């Protein structure tokens, strides 16, 4: 009897792992890299912070003006009518007024400049009438207006960024605003990857009958680059047991993670399982998800191994859903829950109950601002064009059947990885 093997085309297999079980098992077996590096603030861009950063100063550090105008004492604000104040000097950003104001006096002040001693309020220049060395102000002002106080944003000793946060441009700016020069980040993961298949040719090579170009290595490279990990492209390896084994062993010498594509479905020419049974502890799963049913996951020594399906859309979907969160955990990043949205689906969708479906969709606002989603069309797991057009997954629960036009559906917008 021929043993029936898993493939992307198969329909629901009752022995499958649910999507959620697979996600949980993978995430439970990944932990953060403990090694850390001390880097300059510029080198830290995109890295994950290893220790909390406490502010060494108050921000803002001194009382300053939020407006261009005049610094006054609130006791001089008229209760009714107008009052006249003498301008006794200037306070510019970086060039404070060196003195105090007394009753009946004010100082010309610019945004960000120190509010001089004796002043507690700033009158916007548009609300002051200049009259020689004096200004006239009306009675519409409030004590303390247009003044920023030390520590308004945060104070000395406050935690401004926590360990596990990835350093975005806004966070780099925050670190710079308190004068941080160096900081500790988690060591960047190293990821080795290769494609398997006798039929695969790299771009620039001649296609012989039956050959196709290897797209997965470009997909995986692009996604890894966006994740900011260090990647090692090990090329296309033919379906020759010894070559795959040698490449896996070589990769495990230099990487924290190995990602392969193809050969995970235990077909006739799929040696990956045989090899991994010898050199690692890897599970070959049929996951009740579409696309992306066959997935191998485990470890070779301490190295994480992901054997993604060969079909490019399946490789992408499994990378997005399983590899991406694993690399985040490995990088030391604190996990955020993915944003899920609900949108009205403009077309009917075909779906058989059994597997959780990640159909490719285009999410937009219609003319009245409503969130709507449309399918990218035919959903074959070999059809990369549907993935290239999409900006989201339309996530259909495992037990759902066909979806009628105008149904509300769950949508997972792509982050900038795809
Ligand atoms: P496999 O998982 O090796 O049985 O491959 C499943 C399907 O995906 C086959 O049609 C392969 O030709 C195709 N495939 C495998 N690897 C790649 C790749 N790197 N790029 C494009 N297609 C691939
Ligand atoms: Mg293959």
């Amino acid at each position: 009897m021929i043993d029936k093997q898993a493939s992307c085309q198969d329909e629901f297999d009752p022995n499958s792992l649910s999507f959620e079980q697979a996600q949980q098992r993978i995430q439970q077996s990944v932990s953060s890299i403990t090694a850390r590096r001390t880097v300059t603030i510029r080198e830290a861009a995109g890295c994950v912070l290893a220790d909390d950063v406490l502010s060494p100063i108050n921000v803002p550090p001194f009382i300053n003006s939020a407006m261009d105008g005049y610094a006054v004492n609130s006791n001089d604000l008229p209760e009714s009518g107008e009052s006249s104040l003498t301008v006794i000097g200037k306070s510019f950003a970086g060039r404070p007024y060196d003195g105090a104001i007394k009753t009946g006096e004010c100082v010309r002040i610019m945004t960000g400049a120190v509010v001089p001693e004796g002043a507690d309020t700033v009158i916007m220049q548009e609300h002051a009438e200049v009259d020689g060395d004096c200004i006239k102000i009306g009675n519409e002002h409030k004590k303390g207006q247009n003044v920023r106080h030390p520590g308004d944003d945060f104070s000395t000793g406050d935690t401004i960024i926590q360990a596990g946060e990835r350093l975005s441009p806004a966070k780099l700016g925050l670190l710079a605003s308190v004068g941080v020069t160096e900081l500790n980040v988690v060591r960047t993961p190293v990821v080795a990857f290769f494609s398997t298949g006798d039929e695969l040719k790299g771009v620039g090579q001649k296609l012989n009958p039956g050959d196709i170009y290897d797209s997965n290595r470009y997909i995986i490279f692009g996604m890894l680059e966006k994740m900011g990990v260090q990647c090692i492209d090990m090329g296309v390896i033919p379906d020759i047991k010894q070559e795959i084994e040698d490449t896996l062993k070589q990769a495990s010498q230099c990487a924290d993670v190995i990602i392969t594509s193809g050969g995970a479905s235990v077909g006739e020419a799929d040696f990956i399982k045989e090899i991994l049974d010898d050199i690692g502890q890897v599970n070959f799963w049929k996951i009740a998800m579409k696309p992306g049913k066959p997935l191998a996951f485990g470890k070779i020594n301490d190295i994480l191994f992901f054997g993604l399906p060969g079909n490019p859309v399946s490789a992408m979907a499994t990378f997005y859903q399983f590899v991406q969160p694993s690399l985040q955990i490995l990088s030391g990043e604190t996990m955020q829950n993915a944003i899920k949205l609900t949108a009205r689906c403009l077309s009917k969708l075909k779906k058989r109950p059994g597997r959780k479906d990640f159909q490719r969709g285009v999410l937009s606002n219609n003319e009245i601002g409503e969130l709507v989603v449309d399918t990218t069309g035919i959903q074959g797991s070999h059809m990369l064009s549907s993935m290239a057009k999409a900006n989201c997954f339309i996530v259909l629960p495992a037990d759902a059947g066909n979806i009628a036009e105008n149904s509300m559906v769950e949508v997972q917008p792509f982050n900038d990885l795809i």
Side-chain angles (χ1 to χ4, degrees):
M1 195 181 87
I2 298 167
D3 189 19
K4 192 168 166 356
Q5 307 293 353
S7 91
C8 292
Q9 277 69 41
D10 288 343
E11 279 317 318
F12 178 63
D13 176 334
N15 298 320
S16 301
L17 220 51
S18 74
F19 171 78
E20 289 74 16
Q21 282 171 321
Q23 205 175 35
Q24 203 185 13
R25 286 195 194 177
I26 291 174
Q27 292 188 15
Q28 276 171 355
S29 43
V30 184
S31 53
S32 169
I33 290 176
T34 49
R36 49 181 55 208
R37 312 182 282 143
T38 304
V39 294
T40 64
I41 179 167
R42 274 177 197 265
E43 291 166 335
C47 294
V48 176
L49 196 60
D51 302 312
D52 290 355
V53 173
L54 312 187
S55 179
I57 57 171
N58 288 322
V59 173
F62 49 83
I63 181 167
N64 71 95
S65 177
M67 293 285 174
D68 291 346
Y70 297 87
V72 306
N73 186 306
S74 53
N75 293 330
D76 287 338
L77 295 174
E79 275 177 21
S80 58
E82 286 185 341
S83 63
S84 177
L85 300 172
T86 308
V87 184
I88 58 162
K90 293 173 182 167
S91 182
F92 287 179
R95 276 185 285 143
Y97 175 72
D98 188 17
I101 64 165
K102 298 193 281 293
T103 305
E105 294 177 344
C106 69
V107 156
R108 177 83 172 111
I109 195 164
M110 296 305 192
T111 307
V114 179
V115 173
E117 204 183 320
D120 59 2
T121 300
V122 169
I123 310 292
M124 267 171 81
Q125 61 190 20
E126 291 81 352
H127 298 162
E129 191 187 318
V130 180
D131 180 11
D133 288 346
C134 295
I135 55 161
K136 278 190 195 147
I137 57 172
N139 58 15
E140 71 274 29
H141 304 291
K142 289 206 168 61
K143 177 178 177 172
Q145 69 183 20
N146 303 325
V147 169
R148 303 164 176 161
H149 293 276
D152 262 359
D153 197 356
F154 47 85
S155 305
T156 307
D158 284 355
T159 300
I160 52 169
I161 310 186
Q162 291 184 327
E165 292 189 50
R166 198 175 279 280
L167 295 171
S168 62
K171 288 172 186 170
L172 288 184
L174 184 59
L175 292 168
S177 76
V178 301
V180 166
T181 52
E182 285 191 331
L183 54 161
N184 293 328
V185 296
V186 180
R187 176 177 67 73
T188 306
V190 180
V191 183
F193 61 100
F194 59 93
S195 299
T196 65
D198 286 339
E199 75 282 28
L200 302 176
K201 289 284 182 309
V203 294
Q205 287 184 299
K206 185 173 165 287
L207 293 183
N208 292 318
D211 287 349
I212 56 168
Y213 287 118
D214 168 15
S215 18
N216 291 350
R217 235 159 17 98
Y218 298 87
I219 293 170
I220 292 170
F221 166 78
M223 293 173 106
L224 291 174
E225 280 279 302
K226 286 221 168 166
M227 292 208 70
V229 300
Q230 194 185 324
C231 46
I232 304 174
D233 182 345
M234 308 201 67
V236 175
I237 309 298
D239 291 314
I240 298 171
K241 190 176 174 199
Q242 194 57 50
E243 284 205 36
I244 297 177
E245 185 167 344
D246 290 349
T247 312
L248 282 171
K249 283 185 176 159
Q250 199 189 333
S252 68
Q253 302 297 312
C254 55
D256 300 296
V257 182
I258 301 172
I259 302 173
T260 65
S261 73
S265 56
V266 207
E268 211 174 306
D270 302 343
F271 301 119
I272 298 238
K273 178 167 169 44
E274 241 177 88
I275 299 162
L276 286 167
D277 281 345
D278 289 345
I279 64 169
Q281 308 82 47
V282 174
N283 297 301
F284 283 73
W285 290 334
K286 295 176 200 169
I287 303 176
M289 74 182 278
K290 190 179 175 189
K293 189 176 185 178
L295 181 88
F297 170 73
K299 287 189 179 166
I300 301 173
N301 302 324
D302 276 340
I303 313 296
L304 285 175
F305 175 83
F306 291 91
L308 306 183
N311 274 309
V313 176
S314 310
M316 264 188 116
T318 47
F319 186 110
Y320 194 88
Q321 304 296 349
F322 301 122
V323 181
Q324 174 176 216
S326 303
L327 290 179
Q328 286 174 307
I329 297 171
L330 194 68
S331 306
E333 195 171 351
T334 306
M335 298 296 287
Q336 311 287 344
N337 284 335
I339 294 178
K340 289 179 190 169
L341 301 173
T342 303
R344 185 164 61 80
C345 189
L346 297 176
S347 328
K348 59 180 184 190
L349 304 176
K350 265 194 179 163
K351 160 95 173 65
R352 284 199 203 172
R355 298 202 257 164
K356 184 164 184 167
D357 210 341
F358 295 84
Q359 300 205 6
R360 275 70 68 206
V362 180
L363 183 66
S364 63
N365 289 116
N366 67 9
E367 54 293 341
I368 58 160
E370 185 194 8
L371 208 50
V372 290
V373 68
D374 206 354
T375 174
T376 54
I378 316 170
Q379 297 282 310
S381 59
H382 58 300
M383 294 173 166
L384 263 183
S385 60
S386 84
M387 190 57 115
K389 281 183 213 148
N391 65 5
C392 68
F393 286 119
I394 304 171
V395 184
L396 305 175
D399 55 5
N402 289 337
I403 304 293
E405 192 180 322
N406 288 322
S407 304
M408 297 306 286
V409 290
E410 182 190 321
V411 164
Q412 183 184 23
F414 293 161
N415 54 27
D416 70 351
L417 206 61
I418 288 187

